[in-house]
Amino acid sequence: MRTISIFGITGSIGQTAANILVEQSNKFILTVITGGDNVAELAKQAIRLSPKYVVIANEAHLYELRSLLMGYNFEISAGRQALMDAASIPVDVSLQAIVGFPGVQCSLIAAKFSKTLALANKESLVCAGPLLQKICTTNNTKLVPVDSEHSAIFQCMLGESILSVERIILTGSGGPFFNTAIENLKHVNSKQAASHPRWSMGQRISIDSASMFNKAMELIETKELFDVSIDKLEVIIQPQSIIHSMVGFNDGSIKAQLGPADMSGAIGYAINFPKRESLLVERLNFAKLRQLDFLPVDQLKFPAINLATRAMNIGGMAGAVFNAAKEQALDLFLIDNIGFLDMAICVEFALNEYELNQIKHNYIFEDIMEQDTHTRVRVKEMAKGL
Ligand code: NAD
Ligand code: MG
């Protein structure tokens, strides 16, 4: 049996992982579960899965959590420091499924104390890729991606050398606005943006998928994860979301990984790696499916992709700048302060400002935090004028 901790169990990835643990209950012993604000869901999962430690990141919920779990024998704690302490508890597998920048530090700590880091929090690689890779190498930690595209690429790369890779082709569903005219995108609201046609995901990543900022983040994530040059990265829309990504090699051969649009596959793969364990997911029926379509991305309508390429070319902490600006812009979009298309303007502004700086190539996590805060403040100020 493997020990496992799940950070962000109350979210979309976390709850899917919880269901897999129930399905594969003879494979795992649960050490830590954490949640951010959803205290009722956290208590529900604790009672269902019996972990050793239960942590709620928002301290204000501590008493409610204690009262919901009265009579049970869990070690309960709350707050940011408690979260970091929980990430320092050694385990075989740590699943990092906190959303956004708050998950980055947690991944960096867990990378020291787990044998396998099953990484859903893509912000960790976008904001702190080189730091995370260094910690994993130093501590002999296996980094296995949970993002479906990166899980696909990882699986295609098994037995291959990165030196023979000619291209990495990330697939995307196109999101809810793929066929919407650019003029009509100006006035879409967050509810429309959050309704993804294929994948069931958390609110933030769903809106990022609609703007293609998710795909843009995934380009940076791919570069950081596989250490591949920018000119080898491609994006193609695969509306059925059956092909999760592809790798092209120097002999013209292409490997693809296919499966249903269900995150269970990538989560189950990462937490069981290097084994494959059976999963109760839908099996593809090709006769029913009949066809797979491919479409190019409209770069004018979705400037996020070019902005990601720009961030990668700038280097230094541009990934952290990209993410902070995107997260701040999304917060403003969620409260109707800016429009859907303004989010890209915010990111472009932040990259422009960062590019004027002396780009720092050697940095520590504190530098990233400082840059993150600075970028958010600047974007907020600039957005007042939009
Ligand atoms: P979600 O919003 O559904 O859940 C996020 C989790 O993080 C929740 O448990 C929440 O309580 C916790 N959290 C939020 N803020 C926190 C904070 N400040 N401190 C501690 N915990 C906090 O998000 P999700 O869709 O499950 O995504 C999680 C991560 O996985 C993201 O980085 C996302 O990009 C990535 N991802 C998600 C999917 C998907 O299908 N949902 C696919 C690929 C990658
Ligand atoms: Mg993805």
Side-chain angles (χ1 to χ4, degrees):
M1 299 252 284
R2 289 176 152 189
T3 51
I4 186 168
S5 291
I6 302 183
F7 290 79
I9 198 160
T10 59
S12 166
I13 291 282
Q15 290 183 40
T16 307
N19 294 340
I20 295 176
L21 289 200
V22 171
E23 196 186 323
Q24 301 182 345
S25 59
N26 58 339
K27 304 264 180 292
F28 296 99
I29 300 167
L30 189 56
T31 304
V32 175
I33 62 171
T34 82
D37 272 307
N38 192 343
V39 64
E41 178 64 28
L42 183 63
K44 192 181 110 192
Q45 294 292 3
I47 294 165
R48 182 183 180 216
L49 300 168
S50 295
K52 193 154 187 248
Y53 303 91
V54 184
V55 183
I56 185 97
N58 185 341
E59 248 159 323
H61 298 306
L62 178 62
Y63 293 106
E64 194 185 347
L65 183 64
R66 281 200 196 286
S67 99
L68 287 170
L69 295 179
M70 189 132 33
Y72 291 93
N73 213 3
F74 309 121
E75 288 198 31
I76 300 170
S77 58
R80 183 84 192 156
Q81 188 53 49
L83 190 66
M84 297 309 131
D85 292 344
S88 316
I89 298 171
V91 276
D92 293 317
V93 184
S94 169
L95 173 63
Q96 291 297 322
I98 291 174
V99 64
F101 190 72
V104 176
Q105 193 180 12
C106 201
S107 303
L108 292 173
I109 296 174
K112 266 192 211 161
F113 296 97
S114 28
K115 291 183 187 143
T116 299
L117 186 72
L119 187 67
N121 179 274
K122 61 188 77 188
E123 296 82 2
S124 300
L125 280 163
V126 172
C127 302
L131 294 185
L132 185 66
Q133 292 282 23
K134 197 170 160 206
I135 295 172
C136 287
T137 309
T138 312
N139 295 279
N140 210 9
T141 302
K142 187 74 200 158
L143 174 51
V144 187
V146 169
D147 215 345
S148 59
E149 296 75 5
H150 306 78
S151 174
I153 298 163
F154 185 93
Q155 293 180 53
C156 291
M157 282 304 297
L158 287 182
E160 306 287 354
S161 157
I162 195 73
L163 299 174
S164 49
V165 172
E166 219 167 55
R167 53 207 284 233
I168 294 185
I169 308 157
L170 276 105
T171 54
S173 68
F177 302 141
F178 193 68
N179 294 315
T180 309
I182 190 163
E183 311 79 70
N184 299 335
L185 282 185
K186 258 188 201 154
H187 306 293
V188 296
N189 60 35
S190 56
K191 200 166 165 236
Q192 292 165 306
S195 56
H196 199 276
R198 296 275 169 215
W199 296 91
S200 152
M201 309 182 284
Q203 183 197 38
R204 298 187 74 91
I205 182 173
S206 297
I207 299 177
D208 282 351
S209 297
S211 61
M212 293 244 182
F213 266 112
N214 182 48
K215 207 51 58 191
M217 293 276 289
E218 290 180 350
L219 279 170
I220 306 176
E221 189 185 0
T222 309
K223 183 184 170 289
E224 295 298 341
L225 194 55
F226 300 100
D227 195 19
V228 67
S229 64
I230 303 164
D231 57 315
K232 290 186 175 171
L233 300 177
E234 298 174 29
V235 177
I236 190 88
I237 302 304
Q238 205 288 289
Q240 292 90 356
S241 297
I242 297 293
I243 299 183
H244 296 154
S245 278
M246 302 181 261
V247 180
F249 296 93
N250 55 5
D251 58 356
S253 175
I254 291 179
K255 278 190 183 177
Q257 190 265 337
L258 286 71
D262 180 341
M263 287 306 294
S264 304
I267 299 168
Y269 182 81
I271 64 175
N272 286 295
F273 183 82
K275 278 197 192 162
R276 269 189 203 273
E277 297 290 351
S278 71
L279 272 180
L280 291 171
V281 293
E282 178 203 334
R283 267 48 179 174
L284 292 182
N285 179 334
F286 287 98
K288 237 181 172 172
L289 191 64
R290 293 178 64 113
Q291 68 182 64
L292 292 172
D293 298 312
F294 301 94
L295 296 155
V297 181
D298 179 343
Q299 305 277 1
L300 263 183
K301 202 162 89 177
F302 299 109
I305 302 289
N306 280 338
L307 289 169
T309 307
R310 215 177 128 206
M312 289 188 278
N313 278 318
I314 296 171
M317 290 186 284
V321 172
F322 184 94
N323 180 66
K326 182 218 64 139
E327 286 192 11
Q328 182 60 66
L330 178 54
D331 288 342
L332 296 172
F333 174 64
L334 283 171
I335 55 169
D336 289 329
N337 264 13
I338 61 170
F340 183 76
L341 296 175
D342 294 332
M343 290 192 283
I345 295 175
C346 292
V347 175
E348 190 176 10
F349 162 81
L351 288 178
N352 286 346
E353 275 212 346
Y354 182 67
E355 215 173 11
L356 296 176
N357 287 338
Q358 190 117 47
I359 307 292
K360 219 177 181 177
H361 290 281
N362 278 322
Y363 48 85
I364 56 172
F365 182 66
E366 284 64 28
D367 297 319
I368 298 177
M369 278 206 302
E370 205 176 294
Q371 184 62 56
D372 175 273
T373 307
H374 173 76
T375 304
R376 283 170 203 260
V377 170
R378 293 292 299 142
V379 166
K380 234 171 155 172
E381 278 168 11
M382 185 280 284
K384 284 182 191 151
L386 286 175

